[in-house]
């Protein structure tokens, strides 16, 4: 069975970058509130482009990162599965989504039953 984050993988890269820089990796010039608000705007834009309106059914988010968009999708979805291979990012995402009964957070490379291992980040 493969490990969720192998040496030299993208997940390890993002874990190292996030460990060194935290949320400044992606948002250097905005407040934390504006950072999350930008995720909500991006979700609304994507829904409009897809011609979808809430409520949403089951949603799989691949590459959830630190939860910037997950926090906006969670209240709109019947069930949200957020998959993030980088452990540090998954931890932050899990903290942002904590306490939401409709959210399942996974850290690993694949949600497929026979793919690489995943584990919960809640």
């Amino acid at each position: 069975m493969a490990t969720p984050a192998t040496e030299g993988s993208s997940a390890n890269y993002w874990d190292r970058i996030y460990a060194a820089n935290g949320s400044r990796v992606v948002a250097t010039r905005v407040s934390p509130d504006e950072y999350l608000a930008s995720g909500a705007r991006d979700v609304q834009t994507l829904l409009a482009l897809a011609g979808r309106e809430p409520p949403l059914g089951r949603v799989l988010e691949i590459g959830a990162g630190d939860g910037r968009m997950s926090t906006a999708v969670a209240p709109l979805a019947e069930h949200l599965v957020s998959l993030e291979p980088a452990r540090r990012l998954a931890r932050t995402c899990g903290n942002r989504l904590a306490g939401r009964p409709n959210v399942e957070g996974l850290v690993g490379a694949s949600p497929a039953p026979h793919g690489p291992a995943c584990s919960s980040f809640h």
Side-chain angles (χ1 to χ4, degrees):
M1 182 159 59
T3 59
T6 59
E7 193 59 40
S9 71
S10 174
N12 276 342
Y13 169 80
W14 284 109
D15 272 340
R16 286 190 310 273
I17 296 298
Y18 198 73
N21 299 291
S23 63
R24 294 175 312 200
V25 169
V26 290
T28 58
R29 295 192 170 117
V30 297
S31 71
D33 288 340
E34 176 53 29
Y35 178 64
L36 292 177
S38 73
R41 286 191 302 272
D42 288 349
V43 166
Q44 291 303 317
T45 299
L46 291 170
L47 289 175
L49 289 170
R52 297 291 308 266
E53 292 186 21
L56 306 173
R58 294 181 58 84
V59 175
L60 170 62
E61 180 183 24
I62 300 173
D66 65 0
R68 182 180 76 94
M69 293 173 70
S70 309
T71 58
V73 172
L76 307 177
E78 175 187 321
H79 186 84
L80 170 63
V81 176
S82 289
L83 174 66
E84 175 51 53
R87 292 188 186 284
R88 290 178 191 274
L89 290 166
R91 190 175 312 122
T92 301
C93 185
N95 290 339
R96 285 191 169 137
L97 297 172
R100 296 176 188 248
N102 67 322
V103 174
E104 181 180 356
L106 299 174
V107 59
S110 171
H114 302 296
C118 287
S119 58
S120 173
F121 61 66
H122 275 42

